[in-house]
Amino acid sequence: MNVRPSGIEWIGDIPEDWAVQDLMWVCSERKVKNSGNQETNVLSLSYGRIVRRDVESNHGLLPESFETYQVIESGNIVLRLTDLQNDKRSLRTGLVPERGIITSAYIALETGPRAHAEFLHYLLHSYDVSKVYYGFGGGVRQSMKFEDLKHLSLVLPPLPTQKAIADFLDRKTAAIDALIEKKRKLVELLAEKRTALINQAVTKGLDPNVPMKDSGIPWIGEIPAHWEVSRLSFRYSQQLGKMLNPAAAEGPDQAPYLGNKDVQWDRVQVDNLSTMSFSPAERLKFSLRLGDLLVCEGGEAGRTAVWRDEVPDCYFQKALHRLRPHDTDRDLPRFQYYSTYAAKTAGAFEEGGNKATIGHLTGEAIRAHRFPWPPKQEQIIIAEYLDNQSAGLGRLEAALGQQVERLQEYRQALITAAVTGQLDITGAEAAA
């Protein structure tokens, strides 16, 4: 294959029969207002795809009238070139599959006779993930309009080659996407298996032959006959963290503290913690000790982690509860972590069992919550069993995650190689 320089640094050489043209000669901006609300099919750009938006659920910001939106047609290409300074991760291009309307903040393109729409979509997607838009026109901008984009250099093969490349990528990316979806389903199944294992172990124990009794708690059902059932307050103390205020953020005696976002399931994020002032009395009240349980009061209410003393002299903010056993000879926080996880995933913290109605897990509510309690030695055995099982499932999830990441990287490399002329698709098809 004979090649020549493209004149585009990040692309390099291209096949000799390919052209380099500014975007303005290949496509035009489409600007058709939705006057009179003539079109009601609301579309949005999500993860690089144009999808229908459910306006009935009222999720996200909606305008008072969709007359401000623009009408787009199947085969148009939409680019979201806003918030370029703050968001360098989102996929910013999408091929329109059907007529509808989309926000006028986005650029809509119509391809002319020089370009095949599907090929141009793949090409602009490749430019997107290669971060071309972020530096185009000199420096990073907050947003770009068509006027800023029209001199973007595009590499274009002859039309028959464009169609052949688009068809090739349609087939290959569909196969890769199907494989990625299968692996993601496996990850979901592993998560479901972990949840089932935990729920079974902390409510039924590990001995399938032990006599059982009714716990009196709907989400738990039967428990081993020798276990106890009681409110959390009978076994653990509960303390809500310090209220954050501007004076505390700037006052003396600054110390790092944890907020809701820092506590994930079985993991505390301690990088870049904020600080606020804690008086000597507050340091005693809001201190953290190895083995304390941290439970989110809002957000994903009930999300829990065990404090492993990751940061010395660290405290916690009002968005978190600290749970501490009254008697460490009787109760193991690690077991209670798993019990809290089981309660959360079973919907026990939600009002009436409806996960959509809860906003906060108050101190009163968590103290009143009832849990099953095996003897301390059995708590240790169950916690160690679940630690081992969770570690094994976690390794499988990590391996699948890495496979998904590699497939995504391969998918992108394949697209870029095909649309920039680095891959001979005739040879690639023959080798497949």
Side-chain angles (χ1 to χ4, degrees):
M1 178 174 63
N2 294 326
V3 298
R4 66 181 182 84
S6 67
I8 304 171
E9 183 177 354
W10 74 274
I11 291 179
D13 292 342
I14 56 174
E16 196 171 38
D17 62 339
W18 286 36
V20 178
Q21 293 186 326
D22 286 353
L23 180 140
M24 62 185 293
W25 303 115
V26 177
C27 54
S28 59
E29 183 178 19
R30 177 182 172 86
K31 301 182 74 171
V32 179
K33 294 292 184 183
N34 188 34
S35 302
N37 285 317
Q38 57 180 303
E39 180 59 59
T40 58
N41 182 25
V42 182
L43 304 174
S44 65
L45 177 61
S46 176
Y47 301 102
R49 299 180 186 276
I50 304 295
V51 298
R52 290 185 180 181
R53 185 172 180 182
D54 181 11
V55 296
E56 298 299 325
S57 66
N58 200 30
H59 179 68
L61 296 175
L62 294 174
E64 292 184 6
S65 168
F66 286 106
E67 284 191 303
T68 61
Y69 274 41
Q70 57 182 321
V71 180
I72 50 179
E73 301 282 357
S74 174
N76 291 163
I77 298 168
V78 168
L79 297 94
R80 182 179 71 84
L81 300 181
T82 59
D83 197 28
L84 290 168
Q85 289 175 330
N86 302 318
D87 179 7
K88 295 189 177 181
R89 300 183 62 183
S90 296
L91 295 176
R92 296 184 172 276
T93 67
L95 181 67
V96 180
E98 61 183 343
R99 178 183 170 89
I101 53 174
I102 202 163
T103 174
S104 296
Y106 297 171
I107 300 171
L109 300 178
E110 287 184 328
T111 54
R114 294 183 174 88
H116 184 269
E118 285 76 7
F119 171 84
L120 185 59
H121 161 64
Y122 280 120
L123 180 63
L124 292 175
H125 169 76
S126 178
Y127 279 35
D128 179 18
V129 296
S130 299
K131 309 303 178 188
V132 173
Y133 304 127
Y134 296 93
F136 184 71
V140 176
R141 308 180 187 188
Q142 185 67 32
S143 62
M144 291 174 61
K145 298 180 179 179
F146 182 77
E147 287 298 310
D148 305 311
L149 193 67
K150 66 182 184 181
H151 293 298
L152 179 68
S153 295
L154 305 177
V155 291
L156 294 173
L159 273 172
T161 306
Q162 291 184 38
K163 185 178 187 310
I165 291 173
D167 291 344
F168 167 80
L169 289 175
D170 283 346
R171 293 191 298 274
K172 291 297 185 181
T173 57
I176 295 169
D177 290 344
L179 187 55
I180 288 174
E181 184 60 25
K182 285 181 180 179
K183 293 185 181 297
R184 284 177 171 161
K185 290 289 185 185
L186 286 175
V187 171
E188 291 177 7
L189 289 173
L190 288 174
E192 291 172 5
K193 182 176 181 179
R194 175 191 285 111
T195 297
L197 275 171
I198 293 172
N199 190 289
Q200 175 74 15
V202 301
T203 62
K204 306 294 182 284
L206 303 180
D207 182 356
N209 300 313
V210 70
M212 306 294 282
K213 67 180 180 182
D214 184 13
S215 69
I217 305 172
W219 74 269
I220 294 175
E222 290 191 331
I223 60 172
H226 64 286
W227 288 20
E228 298 178 9
V229 175
S230 66
R231 291 186 175 190
L232 183 72
S233 60
F234 292 171
R235 316 283 290 229
Y236 280 75
S237 66
Q238 173 271 335
Q239 175 62 56
L240 199 60
K242 178 179 176 178
M243 175 73 78
L244 178 63
N245 59 71
E250 299 177 358
D253 302 318
Q254 294 284 308
Y257 69 90
L258 301 175
N260 186 290
K261 65 179 176 58
D262 302 313
V263 174
Q264 303 300 314
W265 282 112
D266 205 21
R267 177 171 55 91
V268 180
Q269 300 174 160
V270 295
D271 295 333
N272 303 315
L273 293 179
S274 299
T275 64
M276 64 173 158
S277 62
F278 290 88
S279 68
E282 288 173 332
R283 288 177 183 246
L284 288 174
K285 184 176 182 180
F286 302 117
S287 64
L288 289 174
R289 181 189 303 168
L290 179 68
D292 284 345
L293 286 172
L294 293 160
V295 183
C296 291
E297 184 263 352
E300 187 186 355
R303 190 173 63 224
T304 306
V306 179
W307 179 245
R308 295 179 173 88
D309 216 12
E310 290 90 339
V311 176
D313 192 32
C314 189
Y315 303 88
F316 61 108
Q317 189 235 353
K318 191 177 179 181
L320 296 172
H321 300 284
R322 183 196 64 202
L323 301 182
R324 183 176 289 170
H326 295 311
D327 185 354
T328 56
D329 290 334
R330 183 174 64 165
D331 288 311
L332 179 74
R334 187 64 182 162
F335 174 84
Q336 185 54 32
Y337 159 76
Y338 284 118
S339 286
T340 308
Y341 177 91
K344 171 63 179 178
T345 54
F349 294 146
E350 282 71 43
E351 296 172 350
N354 183 350
K355 296 186 179 183
T357 61
I358 189 73
H360 297 276
L361 182 61
T362 65
E364 180 183 10
I366 196 170
R367 287 192 300 271
H369 212 79
R370 298 166 70 210
F371 289 94
W373 310 94
K376 172 71 178 290
Q377 188 57 36
E378 199 169 348
Q379 291 184 33
I380 294 172
I381 293 170
I382 291 172
E384 289 178 349
Y385 166 78
L386 290 175
D387 282 347
N388 290 332
Q389 293 295 313
S390 295
L393 293 172
R395 286 191 291 270
L396 288 174
E397 286 184 16
L400 286 168
Q402 290 173 355
Q403 292 171 23
V404 167
E405 187 175 338
R406 286 195 292 268
L407 283 168
Q408 291 172 327
E409 291 172 354
Y410 170 67
R411 183 186 193 276
Q412 186 46 51
L414 183 68
I415 292 173
T416 298
V419 299
T420 58
Q422 311 305 311
L423 175 67
D424 180 2
I425 64 168
T426 303
E429 291 278 46

